[in-house]
Amino acid sequence: VSTFSGVLQVVTAEGLVLVINLTFGAALNAVYVIALQLKNSILSFAMNVYKAVSPQITKTYASGDLEHHKALVYTGSKMAVYMLYLIFFPFLFQADYIMHLWLGKVPPYTVEFAQAMAFISLTYAAFEPIRSAVLATNRIIKFMLVPDSFYLLVLPLGYFVAKMGHNPVLLILTIVAFDMMTCTVRVIYAVKYTVLTFRDIFGKILRPVVLVSLGAGLLQWGLSLLNVSNLVLLIISIISNGFFILSFVLVVEKDIRKAIAKKIAERKI
């Protein structure tokens, strides 16, 4: 099952490269590769949370401690997203300047592709603890194969959109939309095979991370109106965003606060 799922993912990944080459040429394909590198770098930042909670998610399910099991999934998902928020919002609003610092000369559409991939990384990070919950049940055949098969549809639709729209931004938006829909399909199967519920996923993961995103987004938008240099604005954005996210987590998120306190206590012992 894992092998076939991996084959489907490779076919889709290579197929997207082919679609971009056929419709917009090698130059835009290079931009897509840069955006993928950025996505992988961002995801590696959040995977530390996943690596920390994944063994506990499996262990609590095997032992029958289902309430603790669910709490680990929901807390792990939120923590992964909050960690990405620390860099996501400054990047989202200062992408032009950051890409200029990284690449020097920024090819056309690089910023748009990078911003889209940064957004996709949020969905990947939030979903990984949920994936662990499904893997713990060992009921993975449809969970892995159906969404990966569904995602293949991005190839013909992406090609159609690129040919009809003649705009690379429409293509990357199509890819983002299919990533979101595929993630939704995975969540549907996760709820079917695990003790997780749609109500809890909405109330304990989606609602709080959306509320934080609204606050962080408004903060960054306000800062973008400041009449300062790009470097100073970037520094202010990173510091203020970090302060906002951490303040929300420590004041509002009691479960995350308790988890942090427990880890600190364990290290002291």
Side-chain angles (χ1 to χ4, degrees), residues 71-259:
L72 284 169
V73 174
Y74 300 140
T75 301
S77 292
K78 287 188 294 184
M79 286 183 66
V81 174
Y82 291 153
M83 284 190 67
L84 285 193
Y85 276 176
L86 293 173
I87 57 177
F88 173 75
F89 284 102
F91 175 78
L92 186 66
F93 283 84
Q94 308 296 326
D96 287 289
Y97 180 61
I98 293 172
M99 297 306 290
H100 175 74
L101 290 177
W102 181 23
L103 300 174
K105 185 178 180 180
V106 182
Y109 300 107
T110 302
V111 171
E112 291 86 349
F113 271 52
Q115 289 172 323
M117 287 299 167
F119 178 78
I120 288 175
S121 68
L122 291 175
T123 63
Y124 278 65
F127 185 74
E128 285 305 314
I130 298 176
R131 183 194 301 275
S132 288
V134 180
L135 295 179
T137 68
N138 207 30
R139 301 171 68 186
I140 62 173
I141 295 177
K142 289 184 178 180
F143 170 76
M144 298 185 73
L145 297 185
V146 174
D148 288 336
S149 300
F150 171 78
Y151 194 56
L152 286 173
L153 294 175
V154 75
L155 300 178
L157 186 60
Y159 181 82
F160 175 78
V161 168
K163 278 295 187 181
M164 296 298 293
H166 304 289
N167 188 341
V169 175
L170 294 178
L171 175 58
I172 194 63
L173 289 177
T174 302
I175 294 172
V176 170
F178 257 90
D179 264 290
M180 297 293 291
M181 288 187 289
T182 303
C183 185
T184 302
V185 174
R186 292 189 191 280
V187 170
I188 291 171
Y189 276 99
V191 170
K192 182 178 180 181
Y193 294 139
T194 68
V195 294
L196 309 179
T197 66
F198 287 118
R199 176 179 292 183
D200 282 346
I201 290 173
F202 175 80
K204 298 184 178 181
I205 300 176
L206 188 59
R207 183 171 59 187
V209 300
V210 169
L211 288 175
V212 175
S213 71
L214 292 175
L218 286 173
L219 174 62
Q220 293 300 311
W221 175 79
L223 291 175
S224 68
L225 302 178
L226 294 176
N227 187 22
V228 294
S229 69
N230 288 328
L231 179 59
V232 171
L233 181 59
L234 178 59
I235 295 172
I236 294 174
S237 297
I238 293 172
I239 294 174
S240 59
N241 182 68
F243 181 77
F244 174 81
I245 300 295
L246 292 175
S247 297
F248 180 90
V249 170
L250 294 176
V251 173
V252 178
E253 293 285 3
K254 295 181 180 179
D255 49 349
I256 295 180
R257 188 169 67 241
K258 289 179 180 178

Side-chain angles (χ1 to χ4, degrees), residues 4-15:
F4 190 62
S5 176
V7 170
L8 290 174
Q9 292 174 16
V10 170
V11 169
T12 306
E14 295 301 320

